[in-house]
Amino acid sequence: MNELVFFVDNGLIAGLIIGAIYALGAIGVTLIFGILRFAHFAHGDMMTMGAFISLIIAFMLKSAGVHGPFALVFIGMFPAMIITAAIAIGLDKIFYKPLREAGARPIVLVMASLGVTLMLQGVLRLFGGVSARNMFIDRPKEIFQFHLPGAHRPIVLTEPQVILFLFTAVTVIALHYFLTRTRLGKAMRAVSDNPDLARITGISTEHVVWATWIIGGALACAAGTLLSMDVALKPDLSWNILLPIFAATIVGGIGQPYGAIAGGFLVGLCESLSVFNWAILLRPIKPYLWFDIPSSLALVPTEYKLMVPFLILIIVLIYRPTGIFKGRVL
Amino acid sequence: MTQPAPSERKDHHSAAGWQRDVLAFSGLAIVILVLFLSQGAVYSVRVMVEAGCYALLALGLTIQWGYAGMFNIGIMGFLAAGAASSMLISFPANPKFWASPGPMLVALFIGKLFLCGIAIWVANKADQIGASRRLKGIIVTLVLIVSFVVISNHMASMSKEIESTSGWMGGLGLPVFFGWAVAGLVAAIIAWAVGKICLGLRSDYLAIATLGIAAIIKTFLKNADWLTRGTLTVSPLPWPVPTPADGHFFLARFYYLCVVVAIMVLLYLLLQRAYYAPWGRMMRAIRDNEDAAEAMGKDVTKRRLQIFVLGCIPMGVGGAMLIHFAQIYDPSAFIDLNYTFLIWVMVILGGAGNNRGAILGAVFVYIIWTASAPIALWLFHLAAYYGHEWVGWQPPSDLDSRALEMRVFVVGLAITLVLRYAPNGVLPEPRARH
C-alpha cells in the first residue's frame, strides 16, 4: 500500500500536474499554429513573463494590504492574464503582423518568433535576475494529506496543485463552450480548418487573430504562474518547457484544442512515468519472485527526461503526422 | 506555395553587385583595423581566429538555409558533438582506462549500438516483407523502445564501472587535424540520422526537431562523465600548431589564424564552385519551388538530406576548431545563444545564400559581439552611477551578470529588425546567371 501511495505521489500526480501545464500551453500553441500557421517559439517565455507579471501584481497587492482566501499570486494571476494577452497582441502587431502582410513565408515568422523569444528572455533576466523565486509571498503554501487505510505515507496534494486541476477543468469546459457555441469560437475553428474558405464567407480574420492571441497569451500566463507556484519561478524555463509543449501540440493534432489537452496530459504522464522507478512497485511481491529486483527500474534516467517528449514527438511525426485528433498537415 | 520565392524578390544588377561587395568588405576592413589599433594585436588575433571559426559555422548554415531553405536551430548540438569527438580523438590517452575492463565495455556498447541500429533498420523495412502499415508502426515502436532500454541499461552500468575504476575514458592522442575531420564526420552522421527522420516534413518541424536534438546532445555531454568528464571539463586541448605554452604567444595565435583562414578559404572556394554548378542550381530550384523541381524529376527528399548533412560538416569542424583554440572543453559553455542564434544573426545580416555575405556577417557580427560586453557593462555602470547620484537608486548586486543578459535582447532585436527591414541582408544573394 505504501508503494502504491508513493506511485500516486511521484508518478501519477506529478504527471498530471505537468500534463495540465503542458495542456494549457499547448492550447495556445495549437491555435497559433492552426490560425497563423507558424510554430510560436516565444510561448515558453510568454509563460515565464506571465508568471513574473503575476508576481509583480502580488507584490503590489501585498503592499496595498490585501488579504484573501487564496494566495496573492493566484489573485494577481487574473489581471496578469489580461496584461499578458495585451502584450501578446502588441508583440503580434509589432513583430508578426508586418511580416504577415508583406507575404513572408511561415518560416520567416518562426524566425521572428525566435527573435521575440530572445528579447523576452533578455528583458526578463535583466529585470528579474537569474535566481529562482518563491511565488508564495504572503504565506506558505498549504499542504493537504489524504491517508489511505493500510499506508504509513499520506497522498500529498499541495495548494497550487489543487488550484491547477480546478483551473484546468474550468478552462477546458469554458473553451469547449467558447469554440462550439459562440460566433467567434466557430469562426476560429473555421479559419483553422480552411482559411481561404473562411475569408470568403466573411469572417473577420483580424478578430480571429486577436482572439487567438488573447486565448494563447492568457493561458500561457496562467500555466506559467501555476507552474511557478508549484515549484518556483525560474527565468530560464523557456527551452525546457517548449519542447514538451510542441510535442503535445503535434501529438494532439495541429489546430485541435482538444487534441492539445489530450496531448499535454499524454506527454506529461509519459514523462513522469518513464522516469519513475518501477522497482518500488514491485517490492511487495518480492518474496514471490525468482529473481532479484534491480535497485532502479526507471525507463529513462532522470537527467534524460527531456528525451521523452522528444521521442514521442519523433514517433508521432513519422507514423501519424496529423496527430491523434487528426489535425492539419502543414 | 504562392509566396514569392527569395531569388525573385528583387533584381540586383550584377554590375552593382561587385561594388556592393567592395564597399561592404572595405567597411569590414576598417572595423578590423579599428579593432587592431584599439585593442592590440594579440587580443585582436584571438578575436579574428574566433571570427574565422564562426565564419565556417555561418558557411555551414548558409548551405542549409541559403541554398535549400532548411531551418536548423540546433547548430549548437552539431557543434558540441563535433567539439566533443575532436577532443576525444586528440586528447592524450588515459592509461588507467586502458588497463581497466573499460575498453571491453565500450566495445560491447558499440556492438549493441550497432545491433540496435540494424534492428531499427530492419523494422523500418517490415512493410516490404508483408507487414501492414499499422503493424509496421507497432513493430518499429517496439524495437525503438527495446533498443532504448537495452542501450540505456548498458550505458548506466558501463558509466558506473568506468567512473569508479578510471574516472573517464580519455582521448586517443591522435593528431588534431584528424580530430577535426572526425568532428565533421560525427556531425554528418548525426545530421544524417536527424535528416532521415525529419526532412520529409515541413520546415517548422525540422526546427523543433533540431532544437530538441541540440538539447539532448548537450544533456548527454554534460552527464556522460565516463566519456567526456562531463562538467569537470577537459583541458588543455592540443593545437595543430605550436601552442602559446611553447613560447611565442602572438606567433602561436597567428599560426592558428592561418590554419583557420586556410580552411575557410578552401570551403569558400568549394562552395562558390558548387553554387554556380548545376548542383547549386538544382538546390535553388528545389528551395524556390519544390513541386516544380519534383516534377522535373529531382529527388527532393534525397537532395535535401544531402545538403543538410553537407551543411552540418562545417558546423562540426568549426565547433572543434573553436574549442581547441580556447583549449578547454566545457559542455556547460555550449549555449544556444552563442552557438545557434548568433550564427543566425550572422547569416541573415550578411545575406543568406551568399557565401561572401556569410563570411562578412560572421566576422562583423562577432567583432561587434565581443565589443558589446564591455560596452554593455560600461553603460550599466554609467546608469547605476547616475541613478545613484540623482535618484538614490540602489543597483542590484548582480548588475554585471544582468548587463550581459542585455546581449540576449540585442541578438533577438537584431533578428527581428533584419527580418523586417533587410530580409536579404547586406550582401543579398546574387541573381543566378542562367
Side-chain angles (χ1 to χ4, degrees), chain A residues 239-261:
Chain A
W239 298 134
N240 295 339
I241 197 131
L242 200 65
L243 208 61
I245 286 182
F246 277 136
T249 307
I250 293 165
V251 167
I254 285 166
Q256 299 285 355
Y258 308 118
I261 296 160

Side-chain angles (χ1 to χ4, degrees), chain A residues 39 111 126 254 303 319 330, chain B residues 71 140 202 204-205 219 402:
Chain A
M111 276 161 71
L126 185 62
I254 285 166
E303 59 269 27
Y319 297 107
L330 290 174
Chain B
F71 194 35
V140 174
R202 208 183 90 135
D204 292 23
Y205 292 140
T219 316
R402 288 192 191 198

Side-chain angles (χ1 to χ4, degrees), chain B residues 376-416:
Chain B
L377 282 180
W378 179 75
L379 280 177
F380 269 71
H381 283 292
L382 204 68
Y385 176 74
Y386 282 108
H388 188 68
E389 291 282 293
W390 292 346
V391 290
W393 173 56
Q394 199 58 49
S397 55
D398 55 350
L399 187 77
D400 287 10
S401 68
R402 288 192 191 198
L404 290 181
E405 295 296 340
M406 206 50 207
R407 306 209 297 178
V408 184
F409 180 82
V410 172
V411 169
L413 190 69
I415 289 180
T416 49

Side-chain angles (χ1 to χ4, degrees), chain B residues 68 196 206 222 260 273 290 323 355 361 376 423 427:
Chain B
K196 199 77 189 150
L206 180 67
K222 248 175 119 168
V260 172
R273 196 171 158 71
E290 210 168 283
I323 300 304
N355 301 324
L427 295 180

Side-chain angles (χ1 to χ4, degrees), chain A residues 33 37-39 41 94-95 98-99 103-108 110-112 114-116 118-119 121-123 125-130 133 239 242-243 246 250 254 299-301 303-304 306-307 310-311 313-315 317-319 321 328 330, chain B residues 3-4 6 9 65 71 73 124 133 136-137 140-141 144 148-149 152 155 197-198 201-205 207-209 211-213 215-216 219-220 223-224 336-337 341 344 348 380 398 402-403 405-406 408-409 411-413 415-416 419-420:
Chain A
F33 226 142
R37 273 146 229 281
F38 74 98
F41 272 85
I94 302 171
F95 296 111
L99 288 174
R105 293 175 300 163
I107 202 70
V108 175
V110 178
M111 276 161 71
L114 278 175
V116 172
L118 296 178
M119 283 157 68
Q121 265 178 29
V123 171
R125 290 186 196 168
L126 185 62
F127 290 106
V130 284
R133 284 161 197 276
W239 298 134
L242 200 65
L243 208 61
F246 277 136
I250 293 165
I254 285 166
L299 283 176
V300 184
E303 59 269 27
Y304 296 112
L306 187 68
M307 279 181 81
F310 188 70
L311 286 178
L313 179 76
I314 297 277
I315 291 170
L317 279 181
I318 300 173
Y319 297 107
R328 303 178 45 79
L330 290 174
Chain B
Q3 286 94 4
R9 266 185 227 138
W65 169 248
F71 194 35
I73 46 170
N124 263 306
R133 202 182 137 70
K136 177 191 159 189
V140 174
T141 313
L144 278 178
F148 184 79
V149 171
S152 69
M155 217 166 80
I197 297 169
C198 305
L201 303 158
R202 208 183 90 135
S203 32
D204 292 23
Y205 292 140
I208 298 168
L211 185 72
I213 290 282
I216 288 173
T219 316
F220 174 72
N223 288 300
D336 286 301
L337 181 73
F341 299 122
W344 267 101
I348 54 178
F380 269 71
D398 55 350
R402 288 192 191 198
E405 295 296 340
M406 206 50 207
V408 184
F409 180 82
V411 169
L413 190 69
I415 289 180
T416 49
L419 283 179
R420 170 104 179 256

Side-chain angles (χ1 to χ4, degrees), chain A residues 188-218:
Chain A
M188 281 178 74
R189 285 196 303 158
V191 174
S192 174
D193 284 345
N194 190 337
D196 296 327
L197 193 64
R199 210 166 296 129
I200 303 168
T201 49
I203 289 171
S204 159
T205 324
E206 186 86 334
H207 287 169
V208 168
V209 169
W210 277 40
T212 309
W213 285 113
I214 290 173
I215 297 176

